[in-house]
Amino acid sequence: MLAERRHQLILRALRSGGPAAVTDLSEQLGVSPATIRRDLVKLEEDGLLTRVHGGARAEEGDQPFAEVAEVRVAEKDVIAAHAASMIKDGQSVLLDIGTTAYRLARQLHGRRLTVITSNLVVYEELADDEGIELVLLGGMVRREYRSLVGFLTEDNLRQLHADWLFLGTSGVRPGGQVMDTTVVEVPVKRAMIKASDKIVLLADAAKFPGTGMAKVCGPEDLDVVVTNAPVNTATRASLEEAGVAVVVAGKVQA
């Protein structure tokens, strides 16, 4: 296996599964621990991970859309199916960037809806569905992350209104704060929240607490959180105190 391919697989494993030991990475990739150690040194020099005792952890930051799209697909589909069931025909829906929103878009084929998005993959998914009125927001293209951002996107959102916003996240803190790793996306997400009646956060289990240095909103800005696994006690308490309904795999937590 070429070193470049090993480096991609190592970073993918760390980003999706968290910190990992040299021995575990060695077994996953089928190479010697010595090879993994050399790879970790190189990746740390490139600023892509931090070595810890016996292994490494990924540096927090953006992941290209194509890479994230391959992670936790089944979990995202469970979340997407429930989110789709919340929408009634004739309603308007704002879909955020990210792979879970894309999985939700795949559930909307054949529906009579208006879909508004800054997510280029959502646009591509629904472009040929004539039953859906599709609104693509303007803005600067972030090619690797398949999204549109900037003042043009935000200005478009000030002219629009949606019944639902399905919002993505990099992480949810124990206090219920919704976080993102990408500062440039945060103003767009905030504009989406202002443009929508009901705010639904789509967050698989890995997003509790997940990552993110930039705050998008607090729990008071959410109406529903849809996830695929029970939320930890502290986060659940913060969400419920703010009046947020927490939905797990199709059922509301009691």
Side-chain angles (χ1 to χ4, degrees), residues 100-241:
T100 308
Y102 162 61
R103 304 308 300 186
L104 172 53
R106 289 171 61 92
Q107 302 271 348
L108 300 181
H109 283 293
R111 303 284 301 274
R112 186 174 59 82
L113 301 167
T114 298
V115 175
I116 308 162
T117 191
S118 60
N119 187 327
L120 292 172
V121 184
V122 167
Y123 167 78
E124 291 164 3
E125 177 68 28
L126 298 176
D128 295 330
D129 193 320
E130 295 184 359
I132 292 178
E133 293 288 340
L134 188 56
V135 179
L136 180 64
L137 299 168
M140 294 293 294
V141 177
R142 300 183 72 225
R143 288 180 176 84
E144 201 168 2
Y145 306 103
R146 310 304 305 277
S147 66
L148 293 153
V149 297
F151 76 92
L152 291 172
T153 319
E154 296 163 46
D155 189 58
N156 282 179
L157 285 162
R158 282 191 283 270
Q159 314 305 317
L160 297 169
H161 171 269
D163 296 307
W164 295 96
L165 164 61
F166 292 92
L167 185 68
T169 182
S170 301
V172 183
R173 295 290 180 259
Q177 298 88 358
V178 178
M179 310 299 291
D180 202 275
T181 58
T182 314
V183 173
V184 72
E185 298 283 0
V186 171
V188 175
K189 290 175 181 283
R190 290 176 178 169
M192 286 182 169
I193 290 170
K194 289 180 180 178
S196 306
D197 282 344
K198 294 288 186 180
I199 318 300
V200 182
L201 183 70
L202 308 178
D204 62 60
K207 303 299 176 64
F208 298 93
T211 59
M213 63 177 179
K215 180 181 174 182
V216 175
C217 67
E220 66 279 0
D221 295 305
L222 304 175
D223 294 290
V224 184
V225 171
V226 182
T227 186
N228 65 300
V231 177
N232 69 69
T233 303
T235 308
R236 177 181 171 182
S238 297
L239 292 168
E240 290 180 342
E241 186 177 346

